[in-house]
Amino acid sequence: MSKKTTDSWILATRLCEAYIKRPGKANFLLEKLPCSLPPSHRRRCQFLFLGVIRNLSRISSAISVLVKKEPRPRLKSILYVGAVELLTSEDEKAALIINNAVEQAKLALSQSEARLVNAVLRKALPLLKNPHGIAEPAELSVRLALLYSHPEWLVRKWLLAFGPVVVEELLRWNQEPPPIYIYQPPKNATEPIDGLKLTKWPGFYQIVPEESGNIGELVEKHRAIVMDPASARPVELLDVRGDEKVLDLCAAPGGKSSFLAGLLEKQGGLLVALDKPGPRVQRLRENLSRFLKARSHIVEADLLQTTPEALVAKDLPGQYDAVLLDAPCSNTGVFRRRPDARWRLQPADIAAAASRQVELLKKASAFVSPKGRLVYSTCSLEEEENKLVVDKFLRLDKGFWRLKAEISCNPWDDDHDGGSAFLLVPAGNRRQN
């Protein structure tokens, strides 16, 4: 194999080993890759590492059949990266892939472990291509969960909610590496972005692989935003005017805040972006820094512990014309983009998230001016985190708020990330929360 592929391969095994030792957020591990790594190497490393996570149960099932004793993390990482290459490549490349894995194993492992890598990967291909073997499980949820590497409990839940045809389409969609989009708001566009693929969504361009190394440069030059088309929908529903006071809650890492800042900067509107203190706020600052003409302020605070009076004490408005609450959620609508999230999610997490979302929505409503509006959104596909949260909020504040409009984004229909957004407006006399 070429040096480029080998270097990417080694880095991918190191990331995989770290993930095996301590499963967590994949993007945190990817951020540790050397800044000097050429873009082509980075793309290949990311493809292999996320490919392992994306196909984790399918790969682990095949390897466990062939390796009776639990391998140590370094050996397992080499087996897994080799397996994902076999799974995502043409069959005629299998010998080359296996030979490379064995050569890397000789450098990183004992001779006996290198021989094990050779033996296991040579037998793994049929199991990877057909994970059920001769007999398929009778239960559809079990079959789909293994074939598409998703938690079986979640597949079972989705089958009840969406039906088998939609679920298989969603699972297949989640398994594809996601496109990278950048957004240039039409109101702020000074020039088209040459060399990129213009999409069916106004203002959105798709990054082609050979251009991905220049994303930072493209973003800075064109004052664009790296974001999926689904992320624009809640902001569009909020329908901000350029002279308004806008509050973005749970704002980090700042994609939607940047979108809002671009809308406000030409007419002197005000943007306040609030989120908990932490590393994500730095990303928020970096994203907003491109909009120097926008009147924007970042507030580091927990929404559940914040009141309008606390903002007034910072010489900021206590109430706003438009409030956006993009609430923390289960992320089930963005599993293609965040494949590791599917493995962290537990059945009880959805109900816990929904309970917290109701509290966040109640707090957010206190910042809306009497004639203002509030958009609640998530990147979840679960009704419990979307419509049922809004319904509960309306029951708790019966007569004070009404649902004016809503949007649902389904990957199987829209071909972008999933989620929902709800536009709420005051109705009649409204008590202060």
Side-chain angles (χ1 to χ4, degrees):
M1 284 197 171
S2 68
K3 187 174 187 299
K4 176 182 73 174
T5 304
T6 302
D7 289 347
S8 304
W9 203 95
I10 293 170
L11 288 170
T13 62
R14 291 174 181 171
L15 292 177
C16 189
E17 182 181 358
Y19 182 83
I20 289 169
K21 289 178 176 178
R22 189 175 182 178
K25 293 189 176 181
N27 63 311
F28 289 170
L29 292 173
L30 288 167
E31 287 172 359
K32 295 180 181 179
L33 288 173
C35 296
S36 59
L37 191 66
S40 59
H41 292 223
R42 186 178 298 273
R43 287 195 301 271
R44 180 62 178 164
C45 176
Q46 180 171 304
F47 173 80
L48 292 171
F49 172 54
L50 294 182
V52 168
I53 297 175
R54 192 172 280 118
N55 295 280
L56 190 58
S57 64
R58 187 167 179 169
I59 291 172
S60 63
S61 175
I63 298 300
S64 66
V65 170
L66 301 170
V67 181
K68 301 306 180 183
K69 184 179 178 181
E70 177 69 13
R72 63 189 178 107
R74 181 158 298 182
L75 171 57
K76 183 183 282 191
S77 70
I78 289 176
L79 289 170
Y80 279 21
V81 173
V84 81
E85 271 203 298
L86 290 172
L87 184 60
T88 57
S89 302
E90 299 84 356
D91 289 355
E92 54 267 27
K93 294 183 179 180
L96 189 63
I97 291 168
I98 293 168
N99 288 340
N100 175 69
V102 172
E103 290 305 310
Q104 296 305 321
K106 288 178 180 177
L107 297 174
L109 305 171
S110 68
Q111 289 301 308
S112 61
E113 287 174 316
R115 289 193 294 271
L116 179 65
V117 168
N118 182 50
V120 169
L121 292 183
R122 290 189 185 282
K123 296 177 182 178
L125 187 58
L127 294 173
L128 291 167
K129 298 292 184 178
N130 182 18
H132 302 296
I134 297 174
E136 293 190 345
E139 192 171 352
L140 180 61
S141 61
V142 176
R143 186 161 70 247
L144 293 177
L146 181 56
L147 184 62
Y148 296 105
S149 281
H150 280 65
E152 195 269 331
W153 68 267
L154 184 60
V155 173
R156 188 168 60 250
K157 181 179 187 298
W158 282 348
L159 285 169
L160 292 173
F162 307 126
V165 175
V166 165
V167 169
E168 186 155 16
E169 191 173 348
L170 171 61
L171 296 174
R172 188 182 296 113
W173 190 86
N174 280 346
Q175 291 305 88
E176 295 295 322
I180 301 174
Y181 298 102
I182 63 173
Y183 178 72
Q184 185 183 43
K187 292 181 180 180
N188 299 317
T190 56
E191 57 181 302
I193 304 180
D194 295 330
L196 300 189
K197 181 181 177 182
L198 187 60
T199 71
K200 61 184 177 181
W201 303 288
F204 279 92
Y205 295 81
Q206 184 176 339
I207 300 284
V208 293
E210 56 269 23
E211 291 287 343
S212 63
N214 300 319
I215 291 177
E217 180 181 332
L218 288 167
V219 165
E220 293 298 330
K221 178 180 178 182
H222 297 280
R223 299 170 70 248
I225 308 161
V226 177
M227 65 188 303
D228 186 86
S231 297
R233 305 299 295 277
V235 181
E236 292 168 351
L237 188 61
L238 195 59
D239 193 23
V240 168
R241 297 193 308 270
D243 60 348
E244 290 187 310
K245 299 189 294 292
V246 181
L247 178 62
D248 184 8
L249 298 169
C250 305
K256 295 179 180 67
S257 292
S258 298
F259 191 121
L260 290 165
L263 297 175
L264 296 171
E265 68 174 346
K266 287 191 175 182
Q267 297 184 46
L270 171 68
L271 171 67
V272 176
L274 182 147
D275 211 325
K276 289 182 178 180
R280 283 164 52 90
V281 174
Q282 181 56 35
R283 291 276 304 281
L284 173 62
R285 293 187 190 281
E286 292 170 0
N287 282 322
L288 282 179
S289 67
R290 293 192 298 277
F291 298 88
L292 298 176
K293 295 181 181 179
R295 294 174 58 215
S296 62
H297 298 268
I298 294 174
V299 176
E300 297 188 47
D302 184 344
L303 172 57
L304 293 177
Q305 306 298 324
T306 304
T307 63
E309 292 74 20
L311 295 188
V312 171
K314 297 178 181 291
D315 294 324
L316 296 171
Q319 294 191 322
Y320 294 79
D321 304 301
V323 175
L324 174 63
L325 172 62
D326 188 43
C329 67
S330 64
N331 294 302
T332 56
V334 292
F335 277 175
R336 181 164 78 164
R337 199 166 302 282
R338 303 174 192 167
D340 51 305
R342 71 183 73 167
W343 303 120
R344 293 195 304 274
L345 189 66
Q346 299 298 318
D349 293 344
I350 294 174
S355 178
R356 183 176 178 82
Q357 288 155 356
V358 172
E359 295 303 311
L360 290 169
L361 188 50
K362 287 165 59 180
K363 293 291 292 188
S365 68
F367 296 91
V368 183
S369 66
K371 295 184 179 180
R373 57 209 183 277
L374 166 64
V375 164
Y376 166 77
S377 67
T378 75
C379 58
S380 169
L381 300 176
E382 313 312 309
E383 186 180 37
E384 300 96 310
E385 297 180 85
N386 291 309
K387 189 64 164 63
L388 296 186
V389 165
V390 173
D391 288 347
K392 184 171 183 179
F393 169 74
L394 293 175
R395 288 197 303 272
L396 292 172
D397 282 292
K398 187 176 181 180
F400 295 92
W401 289 90
R402 66 182 178 89
L403 176 62
K404 186 175 182 180
E406 61 184 280
I407 296 172
S408 292
C409 301
N410 299 316
W412 56 89
D413 290 327
D414 301 305
D415 197 31
H416 58 53
D417 289 349
S420 292
F422 302 84
L423 175 62
L424 298 157
V425 294
N429 295 322
R430 192 188 76 193
R431 64 171 174 263
Q432 298 300 306
N433 295 336

